[in-house]
Amino acid sequence: MGVRLMVVDDHRLLAEALASALKLRGHRVLAAAAPTAGAADLVISRAPEVCLMGTAAPAEPGAFDPIVRIRRDRPQVAVLVLGPVPNPRGIAAAFAAGACGYVRHDERIEGVERAIVKARAGDAAVAPGLLQGAFTELLHPVAQPDDEGQRLLRMLTPREVEVLVRVAEGEDTRLIAAGMGIAPSTARTHVQRVLMKLGVGSRLEAAALAARTGLLDRAVVTAPDAPPEAPKGPGGGHE
């Protein structure tokens, strides 16, 4: 007997192709929706037996928020995650959100179908090795820390860290220069070096990368807060 299911993925072509393949195998596919931003509302309204939910970045914060809502409002819906070759943290996050399984994007259709049947039966649909890694991460979350932010932070000098913090706060070159007591040309050079070291092409990308990796939370600006000391001497003149 076929399974009543939904396929949700940001990549519409992938979602539609998978939905078509599952229909040919006798399953009732209610919808092949994209993007995943509206997935929760759609799944809650249609109430399938199983939802296949795609994600390109299982380790990203908030990647599985739709699953949390689905499981809260429609606990009878079994949610399977479709994603890239995962790491234990991504698997753990999926299960913590309420998913009942994880299927790799490159899995054969037979493997996807087996996972769907398991999910409908209430079983965990994930390879034993991946499941073990997920449970290890859930039980010992500090054993595999996300060090991407720390790695990026080590690439920057203290001065460049301060520049990045100011960029993330929306300061332009003029404000960065004034706040740090340096020439605008020097501030501009610092910004360009930060972008180059982070491997991004714009200030917006740098700010987004810093926020996503937790770099800003770890950044410690070492530059003094006090303004530069006034010149001393009889004339007190400036250069």
Side-chain angles (χ1 to χ4, degrees), residues 44 52 92 105-106 120-122 124 143 145 163 188 199 226:
I44 290 169
L52 291 171
H105 269 153
D106 58 357
R120 183 176 63 172
V163 169
R188 193 173 299 108

Side-chain angles (χ1 to χ4, degrees), residues 26 36 45 56-58 65 69 97 99 104 107 116 123 150 162 177 186 201 214 229 239:
T36 54
S45 65
D65 287 351
R69 187 167 167 227
R104 287 169 43 163
E107 180 64 77
I116 290 172
D123 297 330
Q150 189 62 42
E162 182 179 1
T186 304
E229 185 178 350
E239 293 181 1

Side-chain angles (χ1 to χ4, degrees), residues 3-9 15-16 18-19 22-23 27-35 38-54 70 74 77-82 112 116:
V3 179
R4 192 174 77 256
L5 58 91
M6 293 180 64
V7 180
V8 181
D9 197 290
E16 292 179 349
L18 183 54
L22 290 169
K23 284 179 181 178
H27 300 288
R28 181 185 172 194
V29 184
L30 300 180
D41 289 333
L42 194 57
V43 174
I44 290 169
S45 65
R46 302 299 294 273
E49 293 178 286
V50 178
C51 172
L52 291 171
M53 180 168 293
I70 291 169
R74 292 285 188 181
V77 176
V79 182
L80 275 173
V81 175
L82 288 167
V112 176
I116 290 172

